[in-house]
């Protein structure tokens, strides 16, 4: 079994039980291999979580890059990128939780360089919008993107399309497009 299959099975198991209650022994039982496979490939549960996070952030950055439409202005690109972030999180909720060490996956916070690399497309757009990237602007954007998903993820009353429209309006306010 290759590493990607182990990662997929681990995410599935963590979704059923929660990361905190998922052990290396249970993961090995789920994949049909001994615990030695997990320790040799990942170094243990923390190493496996770091690999899940790396895979997730790589996927999220790909979403960022493919969401950007070079034919539009930076503010419109940021809206599309932010909606792409929301869709990624909504379509991969367990992976998203593991990426950001939410709900009990506290043993391993993502690597700083990994986070910085993933956020580069966002920072580049913010720089184009503001002319000067102020550190707090990235954190402000992050609060919108991550916070919006956190608020809406378990709200059965809000449909995905409604959420995306609302998120687009919030980002327009953030960029000054709604003035």
């Amino acid at each position: 079994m290759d590493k990607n299959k182990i990662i997929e099975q681990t995410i599935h198991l963590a979704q059923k039980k929660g990361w905190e209650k998922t052990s290396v022994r249970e993961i090995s039982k789920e994949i049909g291999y001994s615990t030695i496979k997990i320790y040799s490939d990942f170094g243990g549960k923390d190493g496996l979580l770091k690999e899940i996070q790396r895979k997730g952030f790589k996927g999220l950055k790909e979403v960022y890059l493919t969401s950007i439409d070079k034919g539009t202005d930076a503010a419109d690109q940021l809206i599309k990128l932010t909606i792409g972030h929301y869709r990624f999180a909504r379509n991969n909720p367990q992976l998203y939780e593991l990426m950001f060490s939410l709900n009990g996956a506290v043993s391993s916070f993502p690597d700083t360089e990994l986070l910085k690399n993933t956020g580069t497309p966002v920072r580049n757009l913010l720089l184009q919008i503001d002319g000067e990237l102020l550190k707090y602007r990235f954190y402000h954007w992050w609060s919108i993107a991550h916070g919006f998903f956190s608020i809406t993820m378990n709200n059965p009353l809000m449909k995905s399309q409604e959420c995306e429209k609302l998120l687009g309006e919030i980002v327009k306010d953030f960029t000054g497009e709604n003035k």
Side-chain angles (χ1 to χ4, degrees), residues 60-85 116-134 137-139 141-142 145 171 174-177:
L60 183 58
K61 186 173 183 181
E62 286 174 20
V63 166
Y64 287 170
L65 294 173
T66 58
S67 297
I68 296 172
D69 179 3
K70 300 291 186 199
T72 60
D73 69 6
D76 286 337
Q77 291 178 48
L78 186 66
I79 291 167
K80 289 177 182 172
L81 181 146
T82 307
I83 290 172
H85 179 104
K116 187 176 178 182
N117 182 323
T118 303
T120 298
V122 177
R123 282 189 293 282
N124 289 341
L125 288 175
L126 290 172
L127 184 59
Q128 290 176 42
I129 293 167
D130 290 341
E132 176 184 354
L133 178 60
L134 302 174
R137 286 291 277 176
F138 179 82
Y139 291 118
W141 172 84
W142 171 249
V171 177
F174 170 72
T175 62
E177 292 281 304

Side-chain angles (χ1 to χ4, degrees), residues 4 8 18-19 22 28 30 33 36 44 58 69 80 101-103 114 122 131 140 142 145-146 160 174-175 179:
N4 285 326
E8 289 172 23
W19 182 257
T22 302
S28 67
E30 182 83 10
Y33 284 85
I36 296 169
K58 181 181 178 190
D69 179 3
K80 289 177 182 172
S101 298
L102 305 174
N103 296 332
L114 182 62
V122 177
H140 188 169
W142 171 249
H146 186 67
S160 184
F174 170 72
T175 62
K179 290 183 180 179

Side-chain angles (χ1 to χ4, degrees), residues 44-66:
K45 188 176 172 182
D46 283 347
L48 181 54
L49 180 57
K50 283 190 181 299
E51 193 59 38
I52 290 168
Q53 290 170 331
R54 270 193 287 279
K55 181 180 178 168
F57 282 109
K58 181 181 178 190
L60 183 58
K61 186 173 183 181
E62 286 174 20
V63 166
Y64 287 170
L65 294 173
T66 58

Side-chain angles (χ1 to χ4, degrees), residues 74-171:
D76 286 337
Q77 291 178 48
L78 186 66
I79 291 167
K80 289 177 182 172
L81 181 146
T82 307
I83 290 172
H85 179 104
Y86 171 78
R87 287 177 180 163
F88 177 89
R90 190 165 183 122
N91 293 335
N92 305 285
Q94 186 59 43
L95 175 59
Y96 192 81
E97 287 180 10
L98 294 173
M99 287 167 59
F100 294 103
S101 298
L102 305 174
N103 296 332
V106 295
S107 59
S108 182
F109 194 74
D111 176 79
T112 304
E113 282 304 310
L114 182 62
L115 291 173
K116 187 176 178 182
N117 182 323
T118 303
T120 298
V122 177
R123 282 189 293 282
N124 289 341
L125 288 175
L126 290 172
L127 184 59
Q128 290 176 42
I129 293 167
D130 290 341
E132 176 184 354
L133 178 60
L134 302 174
K135 188 176 186 176
Y136 76 89
R137 286 291 277 176
F138 179 82
Y139 291 118
H140 188 169
W141 172 84
W142 171 249
S143 297
I144 291 169
H146 186 67
F148 188 84
F149 172 71
S150 297
I151 291 168
T152 62
M153 70 185 227
N154 291 321
N155 186 341
L157 300 177
M158 293 190 75
K159 294 183 175 24
S160 184
Q161 287 180 322
E162 292 174 282
C163 290
E164 289 179 18
K165 185 176 179 188
L166 178 58
L167 182 56
E169 291 300 315
I170 292 168
V171 177

